[in-house]
Amino acid sequence: MNVCQKLGIVSGSLSFAVVSQCFSVQAATLTQTYTVDMGSQPLNSSMNVVLPKFNSLLGTLLKAYVTVRSTVNNSVSITPLTGDFTGTAATNASIAVNIPLLKVDPNLTLNVLASPPEMKIASGGTGSVSGSASGVVSKSYDSQQSLSALSGCDGDTFIAGLMTTGFTQILGSPVRGSFGGKVVANTMVSAIYEYEPVPEPMTAVGTFVAAGMGLWWKKRGGKKG
């Protein structure tokens, strides 16, 4: 499988998204980031995310992170049946990630509350209550067991299960009426690797040359004495 793609399975259908990759330099370490944009998914659905493992040929993996970012959008139509309605429609959402290969600590959960401002809807009329909320959660891994599980050869991947669950609650008076709407979560999952790179060949050669010159100079000085 091309590491620049992910395979997502949602309700029996196949979906694809691009994995973005970037590098950054921090002192003596490098950081490599892969991000999968899962797009917009309804609540109470599940899918798989495929992310690249760290390529161990690049160096020594020091620390790994898995990060989940999500924005929950809700739009609920309300038709009050008895009297005017004053209130809102709040959505509690949970975005849970499970990484089976990290047997010791495989779960990561983000909780998001989308609570739109209150509004008034006249009896017999229909109004739409809309709102959104965003959140981010990250977990780090530095145990040898986890780092070994997340390392591999170029092109190796691991699978994470992503599940979005939640419910929308009508808050206000009166609560009798007709309700309908849509709630979706826009989610991105990232794998971030901090590693110590393999020394470049010329750097290693330079080190040996410097060491050799030092020994030669020391011996030369001894002969003069």
Side-chain angles (χ1 to χ4, degrees):
M1 179 182 290
N2 189 326
V3 296
C4 290
Q5 292 181 327
K6 69 94 185 172
L7 176 62
I9 302 178
V10 185
S11 302
S13 63
L14 298 180
S15 61
F16 296 89
V18 175
V19 176
S20 61
Q21 177 182 355
C22 64
F23 296 85
S24 63
V25 181
Q26 289 184 341
T29 65
L30 294 179
T31 301
Q32 186 181 48
T33 302
Y34 296 95
T35 298
V36 177
D37 188 344
M38 303 304 297
S40 180
Q41 304 293 341
L43 288 191
N44 302 308
S45 64
S46 61
M47 65 211 78
N48 286 333
V49 188
V50 178
L51 285 161
K53 288 186 175 183
F54 171 71
N55 180 4
S56 57
L57 293 178
L58 296 177
T60 302
L61 182 59
L62 305 175
K63 204 167 190 177
Y65 304 84
V66 174
T67 300
V68 178
R69 292 179 173 84
S70 188
T71 298
V72 175
N73 299 295
N74 68 349
S75 181
V76 180
S77 62
I78 301 175
T79 304
L81 298 180
T82 54
D84 296 342
F85 171 82
T86 300
T88 188
T91 296
N92 283 282
S94 176
I95 298 90
V97 172
N98 178 269
I99 307 173
L101 65 82
L102 298 177
K103 298 178 181 179
V104 176
D105 194 11
N107 298 311
L108 179 64
T109 302
L110 170 64
N111 294 306
V112 177
L113 172 63
S115 183
E118 283 193 354
M119 68 177 300
K120 184 174 182 179
I121 304 172
S123 177
T126 299
S128 180
V129 178
S130 301
S132 66
S134 300
V136 58
V137 64
S138 184
K139 182 175 285 189
S140 63
Y141 304 91
D142 56 9
S143 71
Q144 191 56 49
Q145 182 179 357
S146 296
L147 297 180
S148 295
L150 291 170
S151 299
C153 299
D154 185 23
D156 286 351
T157 60
F158 68 93
I159 296 176
L162 177 67
M163 179 176 292
T164 62
T165 59
F167 63 91
T168 299
Q169 185 177 10
I170 308 300
L171 304 174
S173 176
V175 294
R176 289 188 60 194
S178 174
F179 312 106
K182 184 179 182 181
V183 181
V184 296
N186 298 282
T187 305
M188 293 190 297
V189 182
S190 300
I192 305 168
Y193 302 118
E194 289 183 3
Y195 66 98
E196 186 177 71
V198 175
E200 295 181 8
M202 290 306 296
T203 301
V205 170
T207 300
F208 287 124
V209 169
M213 289 294 290
L215 289 174
W216 175 80
W217 186 260
K218 185 176 181 180
K219 290 180 178 180
R220 187 169 179 270
K223 287 180 180 179
K224 284 183 178 182

